[in-house]
């Protein structure tokens, strides 16, 4: 019955949307298709709040969970219910960081700003020539879905020239404006990178103040899932050995990008976990180093100029069978590629040497991939929205 009501609502929306006038003083924001309050849309909106423009514009946030706290003056609307479709019909500006469902209709007088959610380290969208993603292998259908949704985007935000060039191809974004200005979500990494703010975030997150912090944020594997669309937490890191060797000096933050359930109770006090609802920018700020693999978090974390280690135990399979890369990760990653837990732990225990050996790679990475990051990318996007 619930699905039937949704289907009927969608059909009504498709008919009515072209009859309902657009209000240019109404803005919709959404992050991760409504799953959280994070990313580029969050920081564009919070720039509006800082400037008092939430009083001038009617700001709407789409969520699955409307209990999420949001500052400023806004309405929180639950995804896929009647008010959601009403605001899709009415709002004159959309600010999203992911592609929308195929049923969404973008009218001529709506301005759609697609901020996206990362620099494309991995092959993406129309550039992918194969896929095994959550049980789906139909690459032609996947391509067609992207063609349909991407054609509605009026502007696209880019972190660097590398992203701009790939976005032109993978999103078929040949003749539309790309705002190559850095990511709004990274403004906080510059503005709040101070001992006082870092301590404040540690206290808010319930983290100890007397230990160094390692952020572990691996990407998911497209072909590792519990059921269609639900990815597993992929890791071969030996947390037993890590606890034994590092717990006197360090703790781990494990950042989930998937909904997998893991029992971390044996590591209480050593491993702190945060799911996709927690803004990863806070986790960047409180951590002293990052361990990742093929995740685009490397491009954001580089703004902090802190050590990064790359635990790439399945590099050949990931590169050659799953996605493929847009960069030569073996040459360009801003830190060492490590293939066993023992190598990871050794790199941490000899961190000064690890940093020194990676210096040239780090400098080259910064020059290529984060030249536009500044403290006011959010302001630049909103100025464009206002036609300034």
């Amino acid at each position: 019955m619930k699905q039937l009501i949704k289907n009927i609502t969608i059909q009504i929306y498709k008919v009515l949307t072209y009859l309902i006038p657009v209000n240019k003083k109404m803005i919709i924001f959404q992050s991760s298709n409504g799953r959280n309050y994070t990313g580029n849309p969050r920081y564009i909106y919070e720039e509006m709040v800082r400037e008092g423009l939430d009083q001038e514009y009617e700001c709407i946030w789409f969520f699955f969970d409307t209990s999420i706290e949001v500052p400023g003056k806004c309405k929180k609307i639950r995804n896929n219910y009647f008010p959601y479709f009403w605001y899709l019909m009415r709002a004159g500006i959309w600010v999203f960081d992911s592609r929308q469902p195929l049923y969404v209709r973008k009218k001529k007088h709506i301005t759609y700003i697609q901020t996206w959610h990362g620099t494309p380290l991995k092959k993406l969208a129309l550039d992918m020539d194969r896929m095994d993603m959550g049980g789906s292998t139909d690459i032609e259908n996947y391509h067609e879905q992207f063609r349909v949704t991407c054609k509605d985007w009026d502007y696209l935000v880019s972190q660097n020239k590398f992203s701009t060039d790939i976005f032109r191809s993978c999103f078929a974004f040949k003749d539309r404006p790309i705002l190559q200005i850095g990511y709004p979500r990274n403004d906080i990494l510059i503005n709040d990178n101070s001992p006082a703010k870092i301590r404040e975030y540690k206290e808010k997150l319930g983290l100890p103040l007397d230990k160094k912090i390692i952020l572990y944020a691996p990407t998911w594997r497209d072909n590792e899932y519990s059921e269609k669309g639900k990815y597993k937490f992929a890791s071969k890191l030996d947390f037993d050995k890590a606890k034994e060797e590092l717990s006197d000096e360090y703790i781990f933050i494990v950042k989930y990008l998937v909904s997998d359930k893991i029992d971390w109770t044996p590591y209480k006090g050593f491993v702190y976990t945060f799911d996709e609802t927690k803004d990863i920018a806070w986790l960047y700020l409180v951590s002293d180093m990052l361990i990742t693999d093929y995740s685009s978090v490397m491009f954001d974390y580089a703004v902090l100029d802190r050590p990064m280690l790359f635990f790439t135990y399945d590099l050949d399979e990931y590169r050659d069978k799953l996605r493929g890369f847009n960069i030569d990760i073996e040459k360009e990653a801003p830190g060492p590629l490590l293939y066993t837990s023992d190598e990871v732990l050794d790199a941490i225990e000899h961190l000064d040497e690890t940093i020194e050996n990676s210096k040239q790679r780090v400098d080259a990475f910064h020059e290529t991939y984060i030249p536009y990051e500044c403290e006011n990318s959010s302001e630049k996007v909103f100025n464009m929205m206002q036609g300034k």
Side-chain angles (χ1 to χ4, degrees):
M1 178 61 71
K2 187 175 180 180
Q3 186 60 46
L4 176 61
I5 293 173
K6 179 181 175 181
N7 291 342
I8 293 172
T9 303
I10 289 171
Q11 295 308 312
I12 294 171
Y13 157 71
K14 287 180 179 180
V15 172
L16 288 182
T17 187
Y18 296 103
L19 303 176
I20 303 298
V22 165
N23 180 357
K24 279 294 188 179
K25 286 292 187 177
M26 184 183 291
I27 307 177
I28 297 171
F29 297 88
Q30 187 189 62
S31 296
S32 303
N33 293 118
R35 292 192 297 272
N36 51 39
Y37 176 61
T38 60
N40 292 315
R42 170 180 179 165
Y43 290 99
I44 294 168
Y45 168 72
E46 289 189 0
E47 176 61 28
M48 289 183 61
V49 173
R50 273 191 292 274
E51 296 185 20
L53 293 169
D54 57 324
Q55 306 296 319
E56 180 180 339
Y57 288 80
E58 186 174 358
C59 298
I60 314 297
W61 271 93
F62 285 164
F63 291 117
F64 284 106
D65 178 6
T66 54
S67 69
I68 292 173
E69 291 188 14
V70 180
K73 181 183 177 183
C74 73
K75 292 179 181 177
K76 294 182 288 185
I77 301 300
R78 190 169 177 184
N79 269 28
N80 298 329
Y81 282 66
F82 286 108
Y84 163 88
F85 291 99
W86 168 251
Y87 287 109
L88 276 176
M89 290 189 278
R90 281 288 282 146
I93 301 174
W94 296 351
V95 183
F96 300 146
D97 68 357
S98 301
R99 60 193 175 104
Q100 295 298 298
L102 294 174
Y103 59 72
V104 170
R105 297 291 184 263
K106 188 259 183 183
K107 296 181 286 190
K108 182 172 63 173
H109 297 297
I110 291 172
T111 300
Y112 185 163
I113 299 161
Q114 174 57 249
T115 72
W116 204 240
H117 49 263
T119 286
L121 164 68
K122 296 165 281 196
K123 290 291 181 71
L124 178 65
L126 301 179
D127 287 347
M128 293 171 61
D129 55 13
R130 61 185 183 275
M131 66 178 286
D132 181 2
M133 192 175 293
S136 177
T137 58
D138 188 344
I139 189 67
E140 291 303 322
N141 180 60
Y142 183 72
H143 284 172
E144 183 57 26
Q145 289 184 29
F146 262 98
R147 288 190 188 97
V148 170
T149 55
C150 294
K151 68 180 176 57
D152 286 338
W153 305 350
D154 294 305
Y155 298 91
L156 186 55
V157 178
S158 166
Q159 194 170 20
N160 45 52
K161 185 179 185 302
F162 166 81
S163 295
T164 298
D165 293 341
I166 291 172
F167 287 164
R168 294 280 184 209
S169 169
C170 75
F171 295 140
F173 213 83
K174 303 296 183 185
D175 303 316
R176 286 166 286 169
I178 293 183
L179 309 176
Q180 189 174 284
I181 56 173
Y183 270 159
R185 70 185 185 192
N186 289 336
D187 290 352
I188 189 176
L189 302 184
I190 299 169
N191 296 329
D192 286 5
N193 188 11
S194 68
K197 291 298 293 186
I198 290 169
R199 182 185 180 94
E200 178 184 326
Y201 288 128
K202 285 181 178 179
E203 291 174 345
K204 286 180 178 179
L205 294 167
L207 298 170
L209 303 178
D210 60 344
K211 297 285 182 72
K212 295 178 182 176
I213 297 177
I214 300 168
L215 172 59
Y216 183 41
T219 194
W220 68 85
R221 272 61 177 167
D222 293 343
N223 63 345
E224 295 186 23
Y225 52 92
S226 54
E227 58 184 271
K228 188 172 182 179
K230 292 189 176 182
Y231 297 100
K232 293 182 178 180
F233 179 74
S235 176
K236 303 264 185 221
L237 194 63
D238 187 339
F239 282 96
D240 291 320
K241 195 166 186 179
K243 182 178 180 181
E244 179 183 338
E245 296 188 10
L246 300 175
S247 59
D248 287 345
E249 186 176 359
Y250 292 96
I251 64 164
F252 267 77
I253 290 175
V254 176
K255 169 63 173 177
Y256 282 87
L257 299 177
V258 297
S259 57
D260 207 10
K261 301 296 183 184
I262 297 175
D263 181 11
W264 292 100
T265 53
Y267 309 103
K268 186 176 181 180
F270 178 63
V271 173
Y272 295 74
T273 63
F274 297 93
D275 64 18
E276 64 181 4
T277 63
K278 186 60 64 180
D279 194 331
I280 198 170
W282 290 20
L283 307 184
Y284 292 151
L285 282 165
V286 300
S287 61
D288 296 282
M289 76 177 77
L290 169 71
I291 301 174
T292 187
D293 44 23
Y294 323 115
S295 172
S296 64
V297 295
M298 70 175 76
F299 298 97
D300 300 328
Y301 199 77
V303 175
L304 293 170
D305 197 20
R306 298 176 190 173
M308 282 189 262
L309 309 178
F310 295 83
F311 185 29
T312 53
Y313 58 88
D314 58 350
L315 174 60
D316 292 343
E317 180 183 9
Y318 196 96
R319 177 189 56 212
D320 300 334
K321 296 180 181 179
L322 287 182
R323 281 286 194 105
F325 299 125
N326 288 315
I327 73 172
D328 187 338
I329 194 169
E330 292 175 273
K331 292 181 180 178
E332 295 187 76
L337 270 60
L338 309 166
Y339 302 95
T340 67
S341 280
D342 286 342
E343 289 180 355
V344 173
L345 297 178
D346 184 69
I348 295 170
E349 290 171 353
H350 300 90
L351 192 58
D352 289 343
E353 182 180 342
T354 301
I355 294 170
E356 182 60 32
N357 291 340
S358 302
K359 189 175 187 311
Q360 286 187 331
R361 292 162 65 105
V362 170
D363 290 345
F365 188 89
H366 285 198
E367 184 176 346
T368 302
Y369 296 110
I370 58 168
Y372 301 108
E373 299 295 359
C374 58
E375 71 277 2
N376 63 345
S377 294
S378 302
E379 182 181 3
K380 290 178 180 178
V381 174
F382 191 71
N383 284 343
M384 182 281 304
M385 289 161 59
Q386 293 182 294
K388 294 183 179 179

